[in-house]
Amino acid sequence: AIDGPAAAGKTTVGRQTGFHLGYPFLDTGAIYRAMTWTALHRGVDLSDEDALSELATSISIDIGPPSPGSIEPCTIFVDGEDVTRVLRQPEVEAAVSLVSRVEGVRDALVKVQRDLAGRNSVVMAGRDIGTVVLPEADLKAFLDASLEERARRRFVELSAMGIEVTEESVLRDLRRRDRIDSERSLAESLGISRL
Protein backbone atom coordinates (compact mmCIF):
# COMPACT_ATOMS: atom_id res chain seq x y z
CA ALA A 1 0.00 0.00 0.00
CA ILE A 2 1.63 3.23 -1.19
CA ASP A 3 0.05 6.44 0.04
CA GLY A 4 0.80 10.14 -0.47
CA PRO A 5 -0.35 13.30 -2.24
CA ALA A 6 -0.65 13.77 -6.01
CA ALA A 7 2.60 13.61 -7.99
CA ALA A 8 4.69 12.47 -4.99
CA GLY A 9 6.06 9.50 -6.95
CA LYS A 10 3.53 6.83 -5.93
CA THR A 11 3.06 5.54 -9.47
CA THR A 12 6.78 5.41 -10.26
CA VAL A 13 7.60 3.56 -7.03
CA GLY A 14 4.51 1.36 -7.28
CA ARG A 15 5.17 0.33 -10.87
CA GLN A 16 8.81 -0.58 -10.09
CA THR A 17 7.82 -2.42 -6.91
CA GLY A 18 5.15 -4.40 -8.75
CA PHE A 19 7.61 -5.29 -11.49
CA HIS A 20 10.22 -6.54 -9.00
CA LEU A 21 7.67 -8.52 -6.98
CA GLY A 22 5.83 -9.84 -10.03
CA TYR A 23 2.58 -8.27 -8.77
CA PRO A 24 0.12 -6.22 -10.80
CA PHE A 25 0.19 -2.50 -10.02
CA LEU A 26 -2.93 -0.39 -9.56
CA ASP A 27 -2.90 3.38 -9.32
CA THR A 28 -6.25 3.98 -7.60
CA GLY A 29 -6.26 7.56 -8.83
CA ALA A 30 -7.11 6.07 -12.22
CA ILE A 31 -10.29 4.60 -10.73
CA TYR A 32 -11.36 8.01 -9.44
CA ARG A 33 -10.48 9.58 -12.79
CA ALA A 34 -12.56 6.91 -14.54
CA MET A 35 -15.49 7.73 -12.29
CA THR A 36 -15.00 11.46 -12.90
CA TRP A 37 -14.77 11.04 -16.67
CA THR A 38 -17.91 8.90 -16.63
CA ALA A 39 -19.80 11.56 -14.65
CA LEU A 40 -18.68 14.28 -17.05
CA HIS A 41 -19.38 12.11 -20.11
CA ARG A 42 -22.89 11.27 -18.89
CA GLY A 43 -23.70 14.84 -17.91
CA VAL A 44 -24.01 14.23 -14.17
CA ASP A 45 -24.04 17.44 -12.13
CA LEU A 46 -20.79 17.36 -10.13
CA SER A 47 -22.43 19.28 -7.30
CA ASP A 48 -25.15 16.59 -6.93
CA GLU A 49 -23.68 14.19 -4.39
CA ASP A 50 -26.64 11.81 -4.57
CA ALA A 51 -26.36 11.52 -8.36
CA LEU A 52 -22.60 10.96 -8.15
CA SER A 53 -23.04 8.32 -5.45
CA GLU A 54 -25.72 6.56 -7.49
CA LEU A 55 -23.49 6.57 -10.56
CA ALA A 56 -20.56 5.16 -8.56
CA THR A 57 -22.65 2.21 -7.37
CA SER A 58 -24.15 1.53 -10.80
CA ILE A 59 -21.02 1.31 -12.97
CA SER A 60 -18.59 -1.56 -13.31
CA ILE A 61 -14.90 -0.68 -13.08
CA ASP A 62 -12.21 -3.20 -13.92
CA ILE A 63 -8.50 -3.17 -14.71
CA GLY A 64 -6.21 -4.94 -17.13
CA PRO A 65 -2.54 -4.85 -18.05
CA PRO A 66 -1.27 -1.65 -19.70
CA SER A 67 -1.57 -1.36 -23.46
CA PRO A 68 1.75 -1.54 -25.36
CA GLY A 69 3.40 1.89 -25.32
CA SER A 70 0.98 3.32 -22.74
CA ILE A 71 2.43 5.49 -19.98
CA GLU A 72 -0.42 4.40 -17.71
CA PRO A 73 0.38 1.52 -15.34
CA CYS A 74 -2.82 -0.36 -16.20
CA THR A 75 -5.85 -0.24 -18.47
CA ILE A 76 -9.11 0.94 -16.89
CA PHE A 77 -12.50 -0.24 -18.12
CA VAL A 78 -15.87 1.30 -17.25
CA ASP A 79 -18.79 -0.95 -18.14
CA GLY A 80 -16.44 -2.85 -20.45
CA GLU A 81 -15.17 0.25 -22.31
CA ASP A 82 -11.46 1.12 -22.21
CA VAL A 83 -11.36 4.69 -20.90
CA THR A 84 -7.64 4.87 -20.16
CA ARG A 85 -6.88 7.39 -22.92
CA VAL A 86 -9.26 10.02 -21.46
CA LEU A 87 -8.25 9.85 -17.80
CA ARG A 88 -5.68 12.67 -17.92
CA GLN A 89 -7.79 15.17 -19.81
CA PRO A 90 -7.67 18.62 -18.16
CA GLU A 91 -11.40 18.61 -17.36
CA VAL A 92 -11.00 15.26 -15.58
CA GLU A 93 -7.92 16.45 -13.66
CA ALA A 94 -9.79 19.62 -12.63
CA ALA A 95 -12.82 17.72 -11.31
CA VAL A 96 -11.40 14.52 -9.79
CA SER A 97 -10.87 15.93 -6.28
CA LEU A 98 -14.42 17.30 -6.21
CA VAL A 99 -15.86 13.91 -7.20
CA SER A 100 -13.59 11.89 -4.92
CA ARG A 101 -14.55 13.84 -1.80
CA VAL A 102 -18.17 12.65 -2.08
CA GLU A 103 -18.64 10.05 0.66
CA GLY A 104 -20.93 7.81 -1.44
CA VAL A 105 -18.42 7.81 -4.28
CA ARG A 106 -15.56 6.93 -1.94
CA ASP A 107 -17.57 4.15 -0.30
CA ALA A 108 -18.40 2.59 -3.67
CA LEU A 109 -14.89 2.91 -5.09
CA VAL A 110 -13.21 1.63 -1.92
CA LYS A 111 -15.26 -1.55 -2.41
CA VAL A 112 -14.02 -1.75 -6.01
CA GLN A 113 -10.41 -1.31 -4.87
CA ARG A 114 -10.72 -3.93 -2.14
CA ASP A 115 -12.29 -6.35 -4.61
CA LEU A 116 -9.45 -5.82 -7.08
CA ALA A 117 -6.85 -6.29 -4.30
CA GLY A 118 -8.65 -9.37 -3.01
CA ARG A 119 -8.23 -11.21 -6.30
CA ASN A 120 -4.48 -11.65 -5.88
CA SER A 121 -1.36 -9.99 -4.48
CA VAL A 122 -1.11 -6.43 -5.75
CA VAL A 123 0.81 -3.20 -5.31
CA MET A 124 -1.74 -0.44 -4.87
CA ALA A 125 -1.02 3.28 -4.75
CA GLY A 126 -3.24 6.23 -3.95
CA ARG A 127 -4.58 8.39 -1.17
CA ASP A 128 -6.02 6.60 1.88
CA ILE A 129 -4.65 3.22 0.72
CA GLY A 130 -2.83 2.33 3.93
CA THR A 131 -5.37 3.88 6.31
CA VAL A 132 -8.76 3.15 4.73
CA VAL A 133 -8.62 0.90 1.67
CA LEU A 134 -6.08 -1.72 2.75
CA PRO A 135 -5.41 -1.11 6.45
CA GLU A 136 -4.18 -4.72 6.82
CA ALA A 137 -1.66 -4.48 3.96
CA ASP A 138 1.57 -6.42 4.47
CA LEU A 139 3.63 -3.30 3.78
CA LYS A 140 2.67 0.37 3.86
CA ALA A 141 4.67 3.32 2.57
CA PHE A 142 3.93 7.06 2.54
CA LEU A 143 5.67 9.19 -0.08
CA ASP A 144 5.86 12.97 -0.19
CA ALA A 145 7.71 15.71 -2.02
CA SER A 146 7.56 19.49 -1.98
CA LEU A 147 4.63 21.09 -3.75
CA GLU A 148 7.01 22.65 -6.29
CA GLU A 149 8.66 19.31 -7.10
CA ARG A 150 5.29 17.61 -7.43
CA ALA A 151 4.10 20.36 -9.80
CA ARG A 152 7.26 19.99 -11.90
CA ARG A 153 6.77 16.21 -12.14
CA ARG A 154 3.11 16.50 -13.09
CA PHE A 155 3.88 19.22 -15.65
CA VAL A 156 6.49 16.99 -17.31
CA GLU A 157 4.07 14.04 -17.26
CA LEU A 158 1.18 15.99 -18.79
CA SER A 159 3.41 17.66 -21.38
CA ALA A 160 4.73 14.25 -22.45
CA MET A 161 1.13 13.21 -23.10
CA GLY A 162 0.60 16.26 -25.32
CA ILE A 163 -1.64 18.06 -22.83
CA GLU A 164 -1.01 21.80 -22.96
CA VAL A 165 -0.62 23.20 -19.47
CA THR A 166 1.73 25.58 -17.73
CA GLU A 167 3.77 24.68 -14.69
CA GLU A 168 2.01 27.51 -12.84
CA SER A 169 -1.45 26.09 -13.64
CA VAL A 170 -0.34 22.63 -12.48
CA LEU A 171 0.99 24.17 -9.25
CA ARG A 172 -2.34 25.93 -8.66
CA ASP A 173 -4.26 22.71 -9.33
CA LEU A 174 -2.13 20.64 -6.94
CA ARG A 175 -2.44 23.31 -4.25
CA ARG A 176 -6.25 23.26 -4.72
CA ARG A 177 -6.35 19.44 -4.65
CA ASP A 178 -4.27 19.32 -1.48
CA ARG A 179 -6.64 21.79 0.17
CA ILE A 180 -9.74 19.82 -0.89
CA ASP A 181 -8.23 16.53 0.23
CA SER A 182 -7.13 17.91 3.60
CA GLU A 183 -10.65 19.23 4.23
CA ARG A 184 -12.45 15.96 3.50
CA SER A 185 -14.55 14.78 6.43
CA LEU A 186 -12.91 11.34 6.25
CA ALA A 187 -9.48 12.87 6.68
CA GLU A 188 -10.74 14.91 9.61
CA SER A 189 -12.30 11.87 11.27
CA LEU A 190 -8.96 10.05 11.00
CA GLY A 191 -7.09 13.03 12.41
CA ILE A 192 -5.06 13.39 9.24
CA SER A 193 -4.22 16.91 8.14
CA ARG A 194 -3.07 15.98 4.63
CA LEU A 195 -3.44 12.73 2.74
Side-chain angles (χ1 to χ4, degrees), residues 73-191:
C74 60
T75 301
I76 302 288
F77 300 93
V78 173
D79 293 335
E81 178 187 357
D82 180 356
V83 298
T84 313
R85 71 195 179 287
V86 298
L87 299 183
R88 301 280 181 180
Q89 292 179 340
E91 58 270 26
V92 173
E93 289 284 347
V96 69
S97 285
L98 297 173
V99 172
S100 67
R101 72 178 179 178
V102 175
E103 186 176 350
V105 170
R106 294 193 71 78
D107 288 346
L109 297 187
V110 163
K111 289 177 185 172
V112 169
Q113 293 164 47
R114 287 179 177 156
D115 176 61
L116 294 170
R119 294 182 194 173
N120 57 1
S121 296
V122 64
V123 175
M124 190 175 286
R127 298 181 189 196
D128 301 338
I129 297 305
T131 56
V132 176
V133 180
L134 301 175
E136 303 300 321
D138 293 331
L139 179 66
K140 300 178 189 181
F142 187 92
L143 303 179
D144 202 359
S146 71
L147 180 61
E148 294 75 16
E149 176 61 17
R150 292 165 44 221
R152 185 195 66 75
R153 291 177 187 175
R154 182 56 52 90
F155 171 73
V156 168
E157 177 185 38
L158 294 173
S159 296
M161 295 185 326
I163 297 173
E164 294 186 23
V165 292
T166 65
E167 197 163 341
E168 293 77 23
S169 68
V170 173
L171 180 67
R172 275 193 313 273
D173 181 58
L174 287 177
R175 186 175 285 123
R176 181 185 63 83
R177 288 180 62 184
D178 285 351
R179 180 182 47 76
I180 289 170
D181 288 339
S182 71
E183 293 171 354
R184 286 198 326 255
S185 60
L186 178 59
E188 290 169 354
S189 70
L190 292 171

Side-chain angles (χ1 to χ4, degrees), residues 57-70:
T57 59
S58 70
I59 61 176
S60 169
I61 299 177
D62 206 351
I63 63 167
S67 301
S70 174

